Amino acid sequence: MASFKPTKIQVYPKLGEKVTQDTLYWKNYKAPVQIKEFGAITSIDFSPVAPHNFAVTAFTRIHIYGPFSQEPVKTLTRFKDTAYCGRFRSDGQLLVAGCEDSVVRLFDVSGKAALRMFRGHTKAVHVTDFTSDRYQILTGSDDYTCRLWDIPNATELNSYREHTDYVRCGVTSKLNRDLFITGSYDHTLKLFDARADKSVMTMDHGQPVESLLLYPSEGLLVSAGGRHVKVWDLLKGGQPLVSMKNHHKTVTCLCLSSNGQRLLSASLDRHVKVYNTTNYKVVHNFDYAASILSLALAPNDESIVAGMTNSILSIKHRKSPEESAEVSGQQRRTPSYRVFVKGKNYAPKQDDYLVSKPVKQHLAKYDKQLRTFNVSNSLDTALATWTRLRKPEITVAVIKELDRRGTLKNALAGRDEQWLARLLNFLIGNLVDPRFAAVLAPAAEMILDVYRRVVGQSPLVDRQLLRLQELLEREIDYQQDLLEVLGMLDTLFASSLPRLEVPHPGTSRANGLAQGEAGTSRPQLQAT
């Protein structure tokens, strides 16, 4: 008796993730360390000097963490209300921060008390930064103004009121102490020169501006607002270069990798996008558990720190070369392939005796039922919840095998409305899939043929049939539209191809007549 052949499950190609150098680089981080803060984390800033501590601004305090510490090494709590935008000076010794109470505070990192308090704004101060000469501070506020302050004298130097809405982001030039740029909820970016009384350049972002970033060369400016990230060429008068729209919600912050070749943007949609600064295409993506308000990269990209709306601070540290080699070694050792192929390539000698061992055939449950001709039970097994949702190719393969045997009609007959609704739901989800349409379309016709007499007796089944009808009508419309588009493309391609004349030997190119027949209008008849 011939042995039973298991049902052949069609293997379809899977679209795997393309592994690139960026994928390997940005995935080479450890599992994140998560720290609970006291409120939403609005700002993260790394100290420019070793050991590169970072300041985390959340609620009414600023915590300063070490590179690998899970507890703050220092806490600044001299705020009466919510603090904003804690920023280190370029020497790492001073830190400035704004506050909801409109007062700007300057701290010595080695102490706790505020060295200076700058009063002059009338509303919350969300923007603070040091100028490149270290002796001035830029601030931006919800009172629509941005101001320059002198640190030694604690006095206001300049005040600019050109924005018509909240000033929520700003950046100072690291090459020129007099230049700084601000972004506002009035959709504009303004470049100021402290030697002038007003702005020297204005750009329209088109959305409320949430974050600004200057490239190290300071020829390019990146702005984030709404769902857009835009790049501006300052050397060409603020000409827009690129506009990217890869997030689903508002983009909240920007940062640049240590080599300046990768741009990172974080958003309320819980994603961080990594762009190639050559062509501004997304090369990698990070997912987080909550909406992201702040993001920072450590020098040499040793750490990625993100602050979220749920007060969680997420810190990812880069793996050391030893850890990376150990992980890759474990991945290589995991499949013990040699154990399974041991002895398979052994060539028998002339005097050897072959002792055969019967191989036990392991069959799936639906194959065991098919072997005993329980066609209805095999179809029930193939329509189990996990199988039809996770492995629809198994369900389709069983239906195809039953159809090949000629027993599909028997397996479909005699069912109740719950089972029939489950089968119709599977058809609705997979009928228009090109991989399964050739098998499921005849099965759908057979179902309608078997149960046409009971149509209208079950509201549940009737609803599923109406959904199936709408699906098919919509798919037919799509196919007709695609055929029309295909015809248009064929016409375009045909008209764009050059027409080549292929002359026939002995034929004149002027009128297509053979040489010697050019003056003859009709053939001459000769009498025999």
Side-chain angles (χ1 to χ4, degrees):
M1 181 179 178
S3 60
F4 177 79
K5 293 182 179 180
T7 304
K8 184 178 180 181
I9 307 300
Q10 184 72 30
V11 179
Y12 298 97
K14 294 182 179 179
L15 297 177
E17 181 182 2
K18 186 178 180 181
V19 179
T20 62
Q21 291 299 322
D22 283 289
T23 304
L24 298 176
Y25 183 83
W26 294 106
K27 279 194 171 183
N28 194 30
Y29 286 92
K30 302 177 186 177
V33 176
Q34 295 188 344
I35 301 173
K36 181 70 173 179
E37 286 288 343
F38 291 91
I41 302 165
T42 57
S43 175
I44 302 170
D45 188 53
F46 274 91
S47 173
V49 298
H52 304 297
N53 297 337
F54 58 93
V56 177
T57 309
F59 196 42
T60 60
R61 59 189 68 193
I62 297 178
H63 285 159
I64 299 178
Y65 291 88
F68 299 100
S69 66
Q70 297 188 24
E71 295 292 334
V73 297
K74 183 173 286 297
T75 301
L76 305 175
T77 58
R78 303 292 182 176
F79 297 95
K80 297 180 180 179
D81 208 331
T82 305
Y84 298 110
C85 197
R87 287 287 183 270
F88 282 103
R89 198 167 71 170
S90 58
D91 58 2
Q93 296 180 2
L94 297 181
L95 183 142
V96 65
C99 184
E100 187 72 27
D101 63 3
S102 76
V103 179
V104 181
R105 292 170 173 83
L106 181 69
F107 295 90
D108 184 351
V109 174
S110 59
K112 287 189 176 180
L115 295 179
R116 296 281 190 275
M117 298 178 70
F118 304 92
R119 292 181 172 89
H121 287 291
T122 57
K123 291 187 179 180
V125 179
H126 285 263
V127 181
T128 60
D129 202 358
F130 291 94
T131 57
S132 59
D133 64 353
R134 302 183 183 178
Y135 298 116
Q136 296 177 7
I137 293 174
L138 165 69
T139 60
S141 170
D142 286 355
D143 61 8
Y144 307 166
T145 66
C146 53
R147 307 181 187 219
L148 282 176
W149 307 83
D150 182 65
I151 295 177
N153 300 319
T155 57
E156 179 183 314
L157 298 176
N158 289 325
S159 177
Y160 301 91
R161 188 187 176 94
E162 295 193 19
H163 289 292
T164 58
D165 207 334
Y166 300 157
V167 181
R168 287 298 176 89
C169 55
V171 61
T172 58
S173 169
K174 300 300 182 285
L175 304 179
N176 188 330
R177 70 170 191 172
D178 296 316
L179 298 180
F180 61 92
I181 306 171
T182 58
S184 169
Y185 277 10
D186 63 5
H187 303 184
T188 62
L189 320 170
K190 290 185 179 292
L191 173 63
F192 292 91
D193 189 333
R195 296 162 292 189
D197 295 333
K198 60 180 181 179
S199 61
V200 295
M201 189 183 300
T202 301
M203 294 152 281
D204 185 7
H205 181 83
Q207 299 284 337
V209 186
E210 300 284 351
S211 181
L212 292 176
L213 175 69
L214 264 178
Y215 274 69
S217 65
E218 300 194 355
L220 297 178
L221 172 70
V222 186
S223 63
R227 296 170 55 191
H228 295 270
V229 176
K230 296 186 178 182
V231 183
W232 310 83
D233 190 345
L234 298 180
L235 301 180
K236 293 184 178 180
Q239 177 181 341
L241 293 181
V242 183
S243 178
M244 297 167 283
K245 189 179 179 182
N246 295 290
H247 289 281
H248 301 295
K249 292 185 179 179
T250 300
V251 183
T252 54
C253 48
L254 301 166
C255 65
L256 206 61
S257 64
S258 57
N259 59 7
Q261 297 181 1
R262 296 294 180 267
L263 172 68
L264 285 75
S265 65
S267 167
L268 296 179
D269 63 5
R270 304 183 296 106
H271 294 294
V272 174
K273 306 286 185 182
V274 183
Y275 305 89
N276 185 338
T277 55
T278 303
N279 52 20
Y280 291 100
K281 291 184 178 179
V282 177
V283 295
H284 194 68
N285 180 65
F286 292 102
D287 295 332
Y288 285 86
S291 299
I292 305 168
L293 291 178
S294 52
L295 181 74
L297 273 176
N300 299 322
D301 302 339
E302 290 297 325
S303 303
I304 300 177
V305 185
M308 292 173 273
T309 54
N310 61 354
S311 309
I312 295 295
L313 180 69
S314 173
I315 308 171
K316 293 181 180 180
H317 297 291
R318 181 168 292 283
K319 296 176 183 176
S320 63
E322 294 79 10
E323 291 173 325
S324 300
E326 181 181 352
V327 171
S328 61
Q330 290 176 354
Q331 291 176 349
R332 285 195 298 268
R333 289 195 298 269
T334 300
S336 302
Y337 184 69
R338 289 179 295 177
V339 176
F340 297 102
V341 300
K342 187 177 180 180
K344 297 291 185 180
N345 56 355
Y346 176 76
K349 298 179 181 178
Q350 185 176 2
D351 298 332
D352 287 348
Y353 291 95
L354 177 63
V355 180
S356 61
K357 182 180 179 181
V359 179
K360 185 177 180 180
Q361 190 179 35
H362 296 279
L363 298 177
K365 185 177 180 180
Y366 53 84
D367 277 328
K368 292 179 182 178
Q369 292 164 340
L370 285 174
R371 188 175 185 177
T372 57
F373 303 102
N374 292 326
V375 292
S376 297
N377 293 338
S378 66
L379 187 57
D380 293 342
T381 304
L383 280 173
T385 303
W386 188 91
T387 304
R388 74 173 188 269
L389 295 179
R390 299 291 183 88
K391 297 284 186 180
E393 59 270 15
I394 293 179
T395 307
V396 173
V398 172
I399 293 175
K400 183 177 180 180
E401 176 63 19
L402 292 174
D403 189 34
R404 186 189 68 83
R405 294 184 175 200
T407 57
L408 179 59
K409 198 168 187 178
N410 295 336
L412 293 172
R415 303 290 188 165
D416 58 9
E417 64 174 355
Q418 295 295 335
W419 187 94
L420 190 58
R422 189 164 68 246
L423 177 59
L424 290 174
N425 193 38
F426 175 77
L427 290 176
I428 292 171
N430 298 275
L431 182 58
V432 297
D433 192 324
R435 301 175 300 171
F436 309 139
V439 176
L440 295 182
E445 293 180 1
M446 194 173 294
I447 292 171
L448 295 176
D449 185 48
V450 172
Y451 291 99
R452 60 183 178 181
R453 297 180 180 178
V454 297
V455 172
Q457 299 181 9
S458 170
L460 178 62
V461 175
D462 290 345
R463 283 197 300 270
Q464 297 290 67
L465 290 175
L466 288 175
R467 287 180 56 197
L468 182 61
Q469 181 182 1
E470 293 173 359
L471 175 69
L472 291 175
E473 290 175 351
R474 191 163 58 248
E475 183 66 18
I476 290 172
D477 292 339
Y478 289 156
Q479 296 292 340
Q480 290 176 347
D481 292 342
L482 288 174
L483 287 175
E484 293 177 3
V485 173
L486 184 61
M488 297 176 190
L489 292 176
D490 288 341
T491 304
L492 291 174
F493 292 150
S495 61
S496 63
L497 292 176
R499 296 182 179 181
L500 299 179
E501 295 183 0
V502 182
H504 191 274
T507 303
S508 172
R509 295 187 180 181
N511 51 17
L513 298 178
Q515 296 179 3
E517 296 183 358
T520 307
S521 60
R522 62 181 64 183
Q524 300 292 328
L525 299 177
Q526 296 181 357
T528 55

